[in-house]
Amino acid sequence: MRLKAAAAAVLCLHCLGVYLFTRGFLLTRTELSASSRPSDLSRCPCSSASASASASADLHLPRPGWTPPTVDRVLILVVDALRFDFVAPSSLFQHQHQHQWMDRLSSLQHVASSHPLSSRIFKAIADPPTTSLQRLKALTTGGLPTFIDVGNSFAAPAIQEDNWIHQLVTTGRRVVMMGDDTWTHLFPHHFNHSYPYPSFNVKDLHTVDNGVAQHLMPWLYREDWDVLIAHFLGVDHAGHIYGVDSQPMVQKLEQINALLQNVIDIMKSQKHLLNTMLIVMGDHAQTLNGDHGGGTSEEVETCLFAWMPRSLPSSISSIFDSSTCGLGLNGKNICTSTMQQLDFAVSISALLGIPFPFGSIGRVNPELYALSPGSWDPQWLPASFYQDPRSDLKTWKNNFAHVLCINSWQVKRYIDSYSATSVMGFPSDDLHYITKLYNEAQSRWSDSKNSPCKPENGTINEFSDFLLSFATLARSAWTEFDLKLMGVGLGIFIISIIFHLFVFERAHSLSNVYDNKTQKSSNHLQIYVAFLLVAVRAVSFLSNSYILAEGRVANFLLATTAIGSIRSSLVYGKIKKHDLVFLILIILIRFGIEKGMSKQAATNPFLNYDSGSDFDLKWLPSLFEGHDFVTLLSEVSPMIILFLLSFLSCKYITCTVDSRYIRWVVTVGTMLSYLFIATFWLSERSFAPKMVYVIGLSLFVLNFVLRYLGILEKGETVQRLRTLALVMVSAWSPTILILLGKQGPFAVLVCIFAGWSIISSKNKGLLDDFKMDPISVMQWSLLAICLFYQTGHWCTFDGLRYGAAFIGFDEFKVVRQAILLFVDTFGISHILPIFSLPFLVTIPNSSSSKGRDKTVIFLNLTQVYLLYGLITAITTTFTVLCVAIQRRHLMVWGLFAPKYVFDAIGLLLTDLLICVSALYYC
């Protein structure tokens, strides 16, 4: 079977397998179309219809809802990627060093310490994945995020599920939004006034924040709004580009702090804002490197600060948690609490007196509810609601018990609806237990209706137990795994491997027949050794620890092959220089992997090294601290290596390409690309990367045009394949290099010399120059994996280098930025290695290419591509198997699912590039 047909068939099988397995594994939560309505309260056992009508007539703001509103307005300031230690006093983190980003939001600390009964700092725990789209969706609907929504992060669809923004609009509230334009994508027709700004240019730290500041202050003096949402992005962007421990981050926090102080001063001075609650919150947090998307503590532990200008009575103080306290900047005590972000949607609904979102499964937060005067002040409460004039605390408990009763009824209604309409629902035993908790709480509420004293602690605790138990159940069993689809998808992966093996064996047999060689047994030995190492790596994916250390595992296996080559050389009595060079390069790559993963290691508890680790490099910076030479070397060395790469490229192109015109075009194009790269690094001129992209795309298109016009068909087969491969690699290399940043030249240089070492180390005692060497192909694959991790990538969504998508561009265009991000992520690990595979067949050590049968060469090239694709397919199949087995693992969404997504995309990309290579080379 020809390579083109085989590659296309394998690609189709893998597409089908990925599609079916993904449908079974990454099923989204069933979103119900139902919405809560004010009239639904008549069916609630917590309130009679007459009470509801009476309440509606007596409310401070006579608008339809389920509970009396307890505030006039809510001002929500969202600081994207707000870490808890940005707000909480540094004295709470005594086990850590004092960092420059701590205590920068002093205005919030001052309010929290001076007004402990009217303000609160919460550690708000978000649910992963921690991308902005999913967090905003969860914050407004009150449901848990779904993993598959990560794919929509760059093109947010409008939210169809019930949410408190929708409830505000349907009940006549006026909503104003300014800042991140994701809000207008999620809620395209909900805002009375909106001032959206583009959100995906991570290099732009100021446009969004300055725009918000421009519009926010005038709106605070106006009274024609009920909810005002302002979403700042500068902190998130500063983290992505510079990291948390950087001067731009400090400057951005100081800017936000000054703006918050202005907001607080205005709220204190304006009478119409006296009963307005200020909420400053993050949608998620960020690692020290500024990344987010996963489920580590640094990514999920964000902050929520709430404050009311109106003072609360001291009797309410017993509600607040005082277990975690520390001294603020003014020496006064500041206590913090913990809440789940899952509770935000229903809490904000209770504060504003609107129907709770139908799909909300959170619990009204007691401390946030207590901050609002309407929860305890008799002047706010309708006559139909029980009041105890002797105790504000007792009044609050009675009102909160009523709110929790409605809260629990709504969640139970959702559970019943979800179980009736969803494919799988919840496990029957768990559902029975949850129903029992609800019935017991509801029974206590019903029994106490006619009692002299309304229910307090007992009812609150029982309703809370029900709500917390269901939230725990939803987190552990929410995802509906379709085992049949997953099994069929896994079966197709296995079938594709069997088909792959059949085609490879057929090509291998044909090669032996055409070549008239008697080397079958030795070549099979090479295949067995290669597959043994591949199997070791594939099986390692069954362990989460080895997935985290994938780069190190690949480097270890690559070093094993290098040591094996040196041992073979010693058997023949001479160590070959290319084997020593290869081993040295592997050691350098290992240190590069440690550096590339260090930003993850610094923030991921699963990757922290003990002090006795073999590769603990924390001592290195201290050796050179304060030495300008190191800084100079870090700036100059990329330019030196870039010059070396340009020299090598020019030399290889001159020696390889026969056609004078093609040689001239490729050489000029490559040299200009390197010149533009240097220009960009020296002057940051945006036109330079654009020129690199244009030249690379032009060379890529020119390759195919010349190939199919027959201009590149001249000369011997080996020479033609070398020319085609070199021109293709030359077209891609500058673009990949500039996207990788200043680490790119070193990575590409290592790639070149390591590739040369692999080609030179083909076992010439057993195989001739053109024979397919399975060990070399396997080394090529392992090298690609090592380069992926060496350049700072890893298989998690917070490992995506978003800054690369904006090299050369300031404005956001989803297709263009997605392409650049894709090339940065997979360029060094997939595109370059696959397009350069012909070098394994076409760079002999002698002049034996003359008279060589063209069919034999293409059969060997076919084997190389089939074996490379087979190695990728085997490892991906084991990833799929691992994910299926670990689907209920604690780290399934933080580790196993991202690994599956990256491997599945990598497999399909590998198949696609092999198809393109078959069309181009064969």
Side-chain angles (χ1 to χ4, degrees):
M1 183 180 290
R2 297 175 62 88
L3 178 59
K4 299 174 185 176
V10 170
L11 176 60
C12 291
L13 282 173
H14 287 159
C15 285
L16 181 61
V18 168
Y19 172 76
L20 292 176
F21 187 86
T22 302
R23 283 291 304 272
F25 176 63
L26 295 182
L27 282 177
T28 58
R29 169 175 52 87
T30 302
E31 295 185 357
L32 305 184
S33 58
S35 296
S36 298
R37 295 173 296 178
S39 59
D40 293 343
L41 192 62
S42 61
R43 299 191 294 271
C44 175
C46 307
S47 301
S48 64
S50 60
S52 178
S54 176
S56 180
D58 293 338
L59 292 185
H60 187 69
L61 293 176
R63 290 164 176 167
W66 283 2
T67 60
T70 59
V71 295
D72 283 341
R73 297 178 177 86
V74 176
L75 172 60
I76 303 175
L77 305 183
V78 181
V79 181
D80 209 291
L82 181 68
R83 288 167 56 104
F84 179 62
D85 57 3
F86 285 170
V87 180
S90 57
S91 59
L92 292 177
F93 308 94
Q94 295 179 356
H95 62 285
Q96 299 181 6
H97 296 293
Q98 178 68 33
H99 298 288
Q100 62 175 339
W101 68 79
M102 291 182 171
D103 297 323
R104 294 292 175 176
L105 298 183
S106 57
S107 58
L108 301 185
Q109 286 193 24
H110 179 75
V111 172
S113 60
S114 302
H115 307 281
L117 293 180
S118 60
S119 61
R120 200 66 176 171
I121 296 175
F122 295 89
K123 178 190 289 185
I125 309 299
D127 290 285
T130 47
T131 55
S132 292
L133 167 68
Q134 290 160 297
R135 293 314 316 141
L136 293 182
K137 185 174 181 180
L139 284 167
T140 53
T141 63
L144 292 173
T146 51
F147 183 85
I148 200 66
D149 284 342
V150 171
N152 294 325
S153 291
F154 290 101
I159 292 180
Q160 304 299 324
E161 203 171 4
D162 193 15
N163 56 83
W164 56 266
I165 299 289
H166 169 73
Q167 291 296 336
L168 286 172
V169 175
T170 56
T171 55
R173 268 66 164 188
R174 300 155 297 180
V175 187
V176 178
M177 192 286 304
M178 54 192 69
D180 186 348
D181 62 354
T182 303
W183 287 90
T184 55
H185 296 153
L186 295 174
F187 308 101
H189 309 293
H190 293 73
F191 302 117
N192 296 75
H193 298 276
S194 62
Y195 307 93
Y197 293 89
S199 58
F200 287 108
N201 185 0
V202 293
K203 295 192 298 181
D204 185 353
L205 273 59
H206 305 295
T207 298
V208 177
D209 292 1
N210 292 341
V212 171
Q214 175 186 353
H215 296 289
L216 177 59
M217 301 308 169
W219 270 98
L220 292 180
Y221 291 99
R222 298 174 59 169
E223 300 184 26
D224 55 337
W225 59 272
D226 298 299
V227 175
L228 194 155
I229 302 169
H231 192 141
F232 300 91
L233 280 174
V235 170
D236 179 65
H237 289 182
H240 280 303
I241 298 299
Y242 302 103
V244 171
D245 194 6
S246 64
Q247 195 59 33
M249 176 63 78
V250 171
Q251 294 171 354
K252 180 53 63 175
L253 289 174
E254 290 177 345
Q255 177 191 1
I256 297 295
N257 183 66
L259 188 144
L260 291 175
Q261 186 61 60
N262 290 338
V263 169
I264 293 170
D265 293 340
I266 293 174
M267 291 184 65
K268 288 180 178 179
S269 64
Q270 299 298 308
K271 290 185 178 180
H272 70 278
L273 298 178
L274 180 63
N275 291 315
T276 297
M277 178 175 285
L278 169 65
I279 295 178
V280 181
M281 63 184 298
D283 52 348
H284 51 75
Q286 58 180 309
T287 65
L288 293 180
N289 193 60
D291 297 322
H292 56 87
T296 64
S297 60
E298 286 194 304
E299 294 167 280
V300 301
E301 292 181 357
T302 181
C303 185
L304 186 147
F305 169 84
W307 170 65
M308 289 288 301
R310 183 178 177 182
S311 299
L312 276 68
S314 59
S315 60
I316 305 292
S317 61
S318 61
I319 299 169
F320 298 115
D321 179 18
S322 59
S323 59
T324 305
C325 301
L327 294 178
L329 293 174
N330 57 4
K332 295 182 180 180
N333 218 30
I334 298 177
C335 295
T336 65
S337 302
T338 300
M339 68 174 291
Q340 299 292 325
Q341 272 198 353
L342 184 68
D343 300 338
F344 180 77
V346 69
S347 298
I348 200 74
S349 299
L351 293 173
L352 292 166
I354 58 177
F356 302 164
F358 188 85
S360 172
I361 62 172
R363 179 190 67 146
V364 176
N365 184 270
E367 295 177 80
L368 196 61
Y369 189 70
L371 289 174
S372 58
S375 65
W376 51 267
D377 187 351
Q379 296 180 1
W380 275 73
L381 298 173
S384 58
F385 280 77
Y386 176 80
Q387 303 171 26
D388 187 342
R390 296 169 300 176
S391 172
D392 294 321
L393 177 60
K394 194 173 186 66
T395 300
W396 178 88
K397 287 184 176 180
N398 289 329
N399 292 328
F400 186 62
H402 176 261
V403 169
L404 277 190
C405 182
I406 298 176
N407 187 183
S408 301
W409 165 75
Q410 166 55 40
V411 171
K412 182 60 169 62
R413 184 173 71 152
Y414 173 73
I415 294 173
D416 294 339
S417 180
Y418 189 87
S419 300
T421 57
S422 181
V423 177
M424 298 180 65
F426 299 101
S428 57
D429 292 341
D430 293 328
L431 196 59
H432 176 75
Y433 173 72
I434 292 296
T435 302
K436 179 182 176 182
L437 289 178
Y438 175 76
N439 290 336
E440 290 175 352
Q442 195 62 52
S443 177
R444 177 185 282 262
W445 171 270
S446 299
D447 293 341
S448 63
K449 279 187 175 180
N450 298 322
S451 63
C453 295
K454 290 288 183 179
E456 295 180 358
N457 294 340
T459 304
I460 290 175
N461 292 337
E462 291 198 10
F463 280 131
S464 295
D465 288 344
F466 161 73
L467 293 168
L468 296 176
S469 297
F470 179 69
T472 301
L473 169 62
R475 286 191 176 94
S476 63
W478 194 273
T479 304
E480 300 174 350
F481 297 112
D482 190 326
L483 298 181
K484 291 183 179 179
L485 283 179
M486 292 173 65
V488 173
L490 180 58
I492 292 176
F493 275 102
I494 296 174
I495 291 173
S496 73
I497 290 177
I498 296 173
F499 174 76
H500 226 139
L501 285 169
F502 169 76
V503 176
F504 174 76
E505 179 60 29
R506 184 179 176 187
H508 182 65
S509 301
L510 287 174
S511 177
N512 285 328
V513 171
Y514 275 96
D515 210 23
N516 296 319
K517 297 291 182 181
T518 60
Q519 302 168 340
K520 185 174 180 179
S521 61
S522 62
N523 191 238
H524 273 193
L525 177 61
Q526 298 277 318
I527 293 175
Y528 296 148
V529 173
F531 275 104
L532 175 62
L533 294 176
V534 171
V536 170
R537 175 173 177 263
V539 171
S540 71
F541 292 155
L542 297 175
S543 165
N544 62 313
S545 299
Y546 279 99
I547 291 178
L548 288 167
E550 182 183 5
R552 302 182 186 96
V553 171
N555 184 266
F556 174 80
L557 295 176
L558 195 59
T560 301
T561 63
I563 294 172
S565 297
I566 292 177
R567 182 183 178 279
S568 298
S569 299
L570 289 174
V571 171
Y572 289 99
K574 183 180 180 181
I575 298 179
K576 300 174 182 177
K577 63 179 181 180
H578 50 72
D579 290 334
L580 284 176
V581 170
F582 190 48
L583 184 60
I584 294 172
L585 288 172
I586 291 172
I587 295 173
L588 291 176
I589 290 173
R590 176 57 191 265
F591 281 96
I593 291 173
E594 296 298 323
K595 183 178 182 299
M597 299 185 72
S598 62
K599 58 182 180 181
Q600 185 185 23
T603 59
N604 191 330
F606 298 101
L607 288 179
N608 284 336
Y609 306 128
D610 296 329
S611 58
S613 172
D614 293 337
F615 284 91
D616 186 358
L617 304 180
K618 296 178 181 179
W619 52 271
L620 283 178
S622 62
L623 291 179
F624 306 104
E625 186 174 358
H627 291 261
D628 293 337
F629 172 75
V630 177
T631 303
L632 179 63
L633 183 63
S634 65
E635 294 293 330
V636 173
S637 58
M639 303 297 295
I640 297 174
I641 298 175
L642 185 67
F643 174 78
L644 178 59
L645 285 176
S646 63
F647 171 77
L648 292 175
S649 300
C650 183
K651 179 180 179 180
Y652 289 150
I653 293 170
T654 303
C655 297
T656 302
V657 181
D658 288 337
S659 173
R660 181 177 61 183
Y661 300 106
I662 297 175
R663 183 170 62 241
W664 183 85
V665 170
V666 175
T667 302
V668 171
T670 303
M671 293 303 104
L672 282 176
S673 296
Y674 287 137
L675 180 61
F676 284 124
I677 293 173
T679 301
F680 176 68
W681 287 348
L682 291 173
S683 61
E684 291 287 335
R685 296 185 180 275
S686 61
F687 79 90
K690 295 176 183 177
M691 295 304 300
V692 174
Y693 305 148
V694 169
I695 293 173
L697 181 61
S698 301
L699 288 178
F700 179 76
V701 174
L702 182 63
N703 289 346
F704 277 91
V705 172
L706 296 178
R707 167 70 173 82
Y708 286 99
L709 288 178
I711 298 177
L712 295 177
E713 297 293 324
K714 301 177 181 179
E716 295 184 357
T717 302
V718 171
Q719 180 64 26
R720 184 174 66 83
L721 283 177
R722 281 189 216 157
T723 300
L724 288 172
L726 185 59
V727 173
M728 178 62 79
V729 170
S730 298
W732 280 100
S733 295
T735 297
I736 295 172
L737 194 151
I738 196 172
L739 292 177
L740 289 175
K742 292 187 178 181
Q743 63 173 337
F746 179 73
V748 173
L749 189 66
V750 168
C751 181
I752 291 173
F753 282 103
W756 167 80
S757 301
I758 291 173
I759 294 169
S760 302
S761 65
K762 289 174 65 175
N763 194 332
K764 297 174 175 55
L766 298 175
L767 303 172
D768 64 50
D769 294 329
F770 294 93
K771 200 70 174 178
M772 189 276 301
D773 180 9
I775 299 294
S776 298
V777 178
M778 189 270 300
Q779 289 176 322
W780 208 267
S781 175
L782 291 175
L783 176 63
I785 297 162
C786 291
L787 291 173
F788 177 81
Y789 286 96
Q790 179 193 345
T791 49
H793 300 92
W794 60 83
C795 295
T796 56
F797 294 108
D798 55 347
L800 293 173
R801 296 155 23 96
Y802 296 103
F806 292 91
I807 293 179
F809 302 97
D810 292 326
E811 67 280 4
F812 175 77
K813 301 291 184 182
V814 61
V815 175
R816 181 182 63 202
Q817 264 58 58
I819 291 173
L820 292 178
L821 184 62
F822 189 85
V823 173
D824 172 72
T825 303
F826 296 103
I828 195 73
S829 60
H830 288 74
I831 297 174
L832 283 185
I834 292 175
F835 280 135
S836 60
L837 277 173
F839 291 136
L840 286 175
V841 176
T842 61
I843 302 184
N845 197 34
S846 64
S847 60
S848 59
S849 61
K850 294 183 178 180
R852 191 54 119 169
D853 192 339
K854 177 181 178 181
T855 304
V856 173
I857 295 174
F858 278 111
L859 279 173
N860 289 331
L861 182 62
T862 299
Q863 289 181 79
V864 168
Y865 272 108
L866 288 174
L867 183 58
Y868 192 92
L870 181 58
I871 292 172
T872 307
I874 290 174
T875 54
T876 304
T877 300
F878 270 84
T879 298
V880 171
L881 177 62
C882 168
V883 168
I885 294 173
Q886 306 285 8
R887 64 187 182 277
R888 294 296 182 188
H889 194 282
L890 177 65
M891 296 172 62
V892 62
W893 303 123
L895 177 64
F896 294 109
K899 172 62 177 171
Y900 163 72
V901 171
F902 272 79
D903 277 13
I905 294 175
L907 175 64
L908 297 180
L909 178 60
T910 298
D911 294 337
L912 180 62
L913 291 176
I914 289 176
C915 289
V916 174
S917 298
L919 292 171
Y920 180 67
Y921 293 124
C922 299

